[in-house]
Amino acid sequence: DRKIYVDRPGLEDREKLYQFYLAKVKADPSIDVARLARRSVWKSPADIENIVKEGALIATRNQRQLVTSKDLSEALERIELGFKRRRKMNEEERRRIAYHEAGHVVVTYLLHPTDDVFKASIISRRDALGVVYHQPREELFTSSRTRILANIQAALAGYVAEKLKFESTSDGVAADFRNAMTQAHNMVWRLGMGTNGYVGDYEALLSSWVFRGLGAGDRISDRTKERLNEETHNILTECMKDVERLLRAEDVLLERFANELLKKDELEYDDIEAIFTEYGKQRVLPAPTVAPGGPNPPSSPNPS
């Protein structure tokens, strides 16, 4: 009747797993196994074996004898993001996508406290016309308010970059908005991370039968819902302002990344690091902040 729980491998174990599976194929000895392990947070041993096998297939298709870092990077992206689809699109669309992804790169790299930026691309994969691939540097079992705010800022960066460069935005921001709004909503409604004094899981009052009376509907007043939604809106607008301030200040970097993407279609980890190093940028910046309160904050919380 015993149950045995086996955790996914940590950083050191992932390095050993990569070394083990790479020893089974002809691999370039210059492959940075430590970086691969960092990029593979939460991957199981089977996932890592699959990445190496897919990398070997990619090398074989390209008639190369050795599996390279680029093959393994492509293998990981194929598994997680899908195959590349080289769509023919007009230059205006390519430019918009390049600035959108460049915004994600600059904001994630400079503001995110836990994530590394491993790749930026304007090649389509599945339904996405471009992607910025970023991952935490280590396993994180919880997310602080600072990290969630940084996630929201990174999600909004493409929208803000489009707005700054084209004075209008596209429907390519839909998934980013969904991501940002979901996280802001959870901060306020479920995690007590707002600033207006409301603490508790208000979603539970809407969804759990424990908190419902027979035929009484949910137990949250319209006024409380309005205050919670105001706080959610405040988080989004303050994050948007932070992102706009940063991208205006770093316009040279935004232009550089957009132009590099237009020339090369994809930028790898080393390319991205090299550009930031060239401009003397470091990722140690103040944590994202949200101005206290929102529009007409209540003088005291009203939980019902």
Side-chain angles (χ1 to χ4, degrees), residues 55-226:
L57 287 172
I58 292 169
T60 301
R61 289 190 197 105
N62 287 282
Q63 300 182 336
R64 282 185 279 98
Q65 297 297 315
L66 294 179
V67 178
T68 64
S69 293
K70 189 171 182 180
D71 296 325
L72 295 171
S73 175
E74 176 63 24
L76 198 151
E77 289 152 20
R78 279 188 184 183
I79 291 166
E80 293 207 340
L81 306 173
F83 284 86
K84 292 178 181 176
R85 299 170 59 193
R86 290 191 177 271
R87 291 173 165 144
K88 184 165 183 157
M89 59 180 67
N90 65 47
E91 196 56 31
E92 164 111 15
E93 279 188 309
R94 282 191 79 243
R95 286 186 70 248
R96 185 181 288 276
I97 294 164
Y99 278 104
H100 181 109
E101 301 306 335
H104 285 311
V105 171
V106 173
V107 171
T108 305
Y109 189 97
L110 293 178
L111 289 185
H112 209 293
T114 64
D115 286 20
D116 282 332
V117 182
F118 285 98
K119 179 111 174 203
S121 172
I122 58 170
I123 299 175
S124 301
R125 291 178 186 269
R126 294 190 183 131
D127 294 331
L129 297 177
V131 66
V132 170
Y133 190 96
H134 60 98
Q135 282 272 66
R137 300 176 193 105
E138 57 188 342
E139 286 82 4
L140 295 172
F141 299 91
T142 61
S143 287
S144 66
R145 186 175 188 273
T146 298
R147 182 168 188 252
I148 298 172
L149 285 172
N151 287 341
I152 295 169
Q153 290 176 318
L156 295 173
Y159 168 82
V160 175
E162 284 190 41
K163 196 171 180 182
L164 289 175
K165 293 300 175 181
F166 298 93
E167 297 184 355
S168 65
T169 60
S170 68
D171 57 4
V173 303
D176 292 334
F177 274 174
R178 184 163 56 250
N179 179 9
M181 294 180 77
T182 299
Q183 294 196 65
H185 175 86
N186 286 337
M187 285 178 70
V188 176
W189 280 75
R190 296 183 57 237
L191 303 175
M193 290 183 177
T195 58
N196 60 7
Y198 286 91
V199 177
D201 185 352
Y202 289 88
E203 286 285 352
L205 298 179
L206 293 175
S207 60
S208 175
W209 64 269
V210 175
F211 295 99
R212 288 173 178 263
L214 291 174
D218 67 64
R219 295 297 184 89
I220 307 179
S221 70
D222 289 341
R223 181 175 181 275
T224 297
K225 290 176 186 175
E226 184 179 343

Side-chain angles (χ1 to χ4, degrees), residues 51-52 70 96 190 225 239 246 270 275-276 289-290:
I51 290 166
V52 174
K70 189 171 182 180
R96 185 181 288 276
R190 296 183 57 237
K225 290 176 186 175
C239 284
L246 178 68
D270 288 333
I275 292 171
F276 280 110
T289 57
V290 170

